[in-house]
Amino acid sequence: MKLSNAVFVALGILFPAATAHASDFNGDGRADLAMAVQPTFEDGAVHVLFGTAGGLTSSGMQTLLAQPTPVISYPPVDTFGAAIAAGGFDNDGFDDLAVGAPDAPVGDVVRAGAVFVYRGGSQRLVFDRVVHQDVKSIADKCEFDERFGMTLVAAKFDDDNFVDLAVGVLETVGKKPRAGAVHVFRGSKDGLTGVKDRPWHQDSPGIKDRAEEGDEFGSTLAVGGVDGDGHDDLVAQIRRERRTHEDTTHFGAITILRGGKKGLSAKQNVIHDLSDLWGVPPDEQARFGDTLAVCDFDHDGDGDLLIGAPGMNGGNGLAFRIESTGGVFDATNNVSMGASGFGAAGNGESLVVDDFNADGRQDFVVGSPFVTVGQVGGTGGTIGAGQVIVKFGGDGDLSDSKLFTRATADVIGEPLTGAAFGYAMHVAAFNGDGHDDLAAAAPFDTYLGYTLCGTMNVLYGSSTGLTASNSQH
């Protein structure tokens, strides 16, 4: 089944996969899909496909563009759609959408960044407001090249009934440029508000280590319950973290903030890097933490960490799972995983989590978009065609898995060189049948003669997990 021959550059299926908030913008009980499109429109755009009983449809597709405001202009460099998050910010029964434009100028401040917010409704999404660091209630101000909105996640960090929004920014902390921070906007009956905003960074009380120039705290964000207390917790990448303060090499690390009755806190804060997991020297090219997710794989009530390092081992990449017990992480109790085969596969370039077969145990999917498909004995095959690997939840054994490529039976399309199937993924119940489904992008695919236009496949969930039967393209 094809999506009415819709053609997209699917670089932006960027909903945080670990969030439990379905993206049902029109309140019909079926999940909808928003994805960023660049550079089809010079300023960027977000297409919204609505779910139906037959799955996603491009009929009635809505296209969102950056809205002009008194302080926001939107030249081609504004990267509208670089990050996307969805949730019930006002709890009115319709999910809302936040779209990051980290290169947007605010007034005369170049690349200050902004977030555009759209309210859901029975018909379509409607522009609500734009948020940036010069909004009065925010505990900060716009500064050059801080790229507010570069990462977004939506979650319930506190005890109210509203979804909150965490926003990553290359914050100057003290006199340390690009140290990085995360702002949290609380949901309310009137939508997102910066009241009680407290920027989190490595100089915040309780967070391990300290802020340093160029650390880029908050470059990647993920949410999920790591300690089983009913609150969402925040996992943040520190993309250019150094192993020691004397190091000149930036290896990267991840850290965790815990949700609670009043919101996020630094309680039980931990920090991990690649040497904790493998006992090997950190690798500056590993891109450790570029993808993150939280998954209760063994159904013990505590979410385990999934950490992608897609640049490790010369670009072959790995994804790591660190087990949590009562919210305490044992970095030595970890499992690494990736695609078998040859070359720079990019294992862990994308990660998503869900219970596809509804057995009560969360499964996860690892994208390997640059793997060669159909290789035999190290020769032949389609270079960079890409694949996704589903790991089914269980007692900790990761051997129960299923692999999909464009060469898999009933998966629509064919493996093309460099198409990068699995580069980005999103999970939701698109047809409302009780099973969640997977949308997987191939952003460099060719379709109907359009080179590098990008395409997307949808694989539907069932009692046996994801299946290519009745898949869409």
Side-chain angles (χ1 to χ4, degrees):
M1 182 185 298
K2 294 187 178 181
L3 295 174
S4 301
N5 291 335
V7 178
F8 308 109
V9 180
L11 287 172
I13 304 179
L14 292 174
F15 282 124
T19 167
H21 312 296
S23 46
D24 183 5
F25 302 123
N26 57 8
D28 66 355
R30 301 183 181 92
D32 310 311
L33 178 66
M35 60 182 181
V37 181
Q38 296 172 344
T40 301
F41 294 86
E42 287 187 337
D43 299 331
V46 173
H47 288 321
V48 181
L49 303 177
F50 293 96
T52 70
L56 288 173
T57 177
S58 60
S59 177
M61 179 182 73
Q62 183 175 4
T63 298
L64 306 175
L65 303 173
Q67 302 290 319
T69 73
V71 295
I72 298 287
S73 58
Y74 51 106
V77 294
D78 79 351
T79 54
F80 179 80
I84 301 174
F89 303 135
D90 53 11
N91 195 29
D92 65 352
F94 303 98
D95 282 333
D96 311 305
L97 181 68
V99 180
D103 284 354
V106 178
D108 295 330
V109 183
V110 177
R111 293 192 298 278
V115 176
F116 294 81
V117 183
Y118 299 82
R119 283 195 171 184
S122 59
Q123 300 298 318
R124 303 171 76 78
L125 289 161
V126 177
F127 176 69
D128 178 39
R129 68 191 72 183
V130 62
V131 178
H132 49 76
Q133 290 187 97
D134 278 350
V135 173
K136 290 182 180 179
S137 59
I138 297 179
D140 208 343
K141 64 179 182 179
C142 289
E143 296 182 78
F144 168 72
D145 200 30
E146 287 200 338
R147 306 194 76 237
F148 178 85
M150 64 179 183
T151 49
L152 302 173
V153 290
K156 290 185 177 181
F157 297 122
D158 54 29
D159 270 355
D160 65 20
N161 293 318
F162 304 100
V163 175
D164 310 313
L165 182 72
V167 182
V169 55
L170 296 178
E171 187 86 40
T172 297
V173 178
K175 295 183 179 181
K176 292 160 281 193
R178 299 177 74 88
V182 176
H183 289 264
V184 178
F185 293 83
R186 302 290 184 95
S188 73
K189 63 181 179 61
D190 297 316
L192 291 173
T193 173
V195 175
K196 299 182 180 181
D197 170 49
R198 174 187 177 184
W200 289 96
H201 47 71
Q202 285 188 279
D203 280 351
S204 298
I207 294 186
K208 294 185 182 297
D209 205 9
R210 68 187 185 197
E212 296 174 294
E213 180 177 347
D215 273 353
E216 300 187 7
F217 178 92
S219 297
T220 301
L221 301 173
V223 292
V226 303
D227 52 18
D229 69 352
H231 301 101
D232 284 331
D233 308 303
L234 180 70
V235 186
Q237 180 199 36
I238 314 167
R239 176 171 290 160
R240 292 174 57 79
E241 177 78 338
R242 291 176 286 188
R243 183 68 173 168
T244 69
H245 302 305
E246 292 74 30
D247 279 341
T248 58
T249 306
H250 302 271
F251 299 119
I254 62 98
T255 191
I256 302 172
L257 298 171
R258 311 292 176 121
K261 183 176 181 180
K262 296 183 179 180
L264 291 175
S265 76
K267 172 185 175 184
Q268 292 182 282
N269 180 244
V270 295
I271 185 169
H272 292 299
D273 65 20
L274 193 55
S275 63
D276 296 330
L277 304 182
W278 255 32
V280 298
D283 177 1
E284 188 173 25
Q285 305 302 317
R287 296 168 53 205
F288 179 78
D290 265 18
T291 51
L292 297 167
V294 178
C295 176
D296 185 7
F297 185 77
D298 51 10
H299 196 52
D300 64 355
D302 301 320
D304 305 327
L305 286 182
L306 301 178
I307 306 170
M312 192 173 174
N313 296 334
N316 193 52
L318 282 175
F320 296 89
R321 170 179 168 255
I322 309 178
E323 188 169 345
S324 169
T325 303
V328 178
F329 292 93
D330 179 2
T332 64
N333 186 11
N334 74 85
V335 179
S336 61
M337 67 212 84
S340 59
F342 305 86
N347 293 309
E349 188 73 46
S350 57
L351 296 170
V352 293
V353 173
D354 213 297
D355 180 7
F356 296 110
N357 57 6
D359 67 351
R361 301 174 187 272
Q362 286 190 309
D363 316 309
F364 62 89
V365 188
V366 179
S368 305
F370 308 124
V371 75
T372 297
V373 174
Q375 201 167 46
V376 179
T379 61
T382 306
I383 299 172
Q387 67 182 27
V388 298
I389 307 170
V390 185
K391 298 287 185 177
F392 294 104
D395 59 6
D397 181 5
L398 297 179
S399 62
D400 187 10
S401 63
K402 192 172 185 178
L403 183 148
F404 293 93
T405 74
R406 286 281 184 78
T408 301
D410 295 326
V411 174
I412 301 174
E414 60 181 320
L416 295 180
T417 299
F421 174 69
Y423 184 87
M425 299 183 288
H426 175 60
V427 172
F430 298 125
N431 59 6
D433 67 352
H435 297 283
D436 283 348
D437 315 307
L438 176 72
F444 311 116
D445 200 7
T446 296
Y447 184 63
L448 294 180
Y450 293 93
T451 303
L452 302 179
C453 70
T455 61
M456 176 186 68
N457 286 77
V458 180
L459 305 175
Y460 284 92
S462 70
S463 59
T464 59
L466 286 176
T467 174
S469 298
N470 299 314
S471 66
Q472 291 179 285
H473 180 241

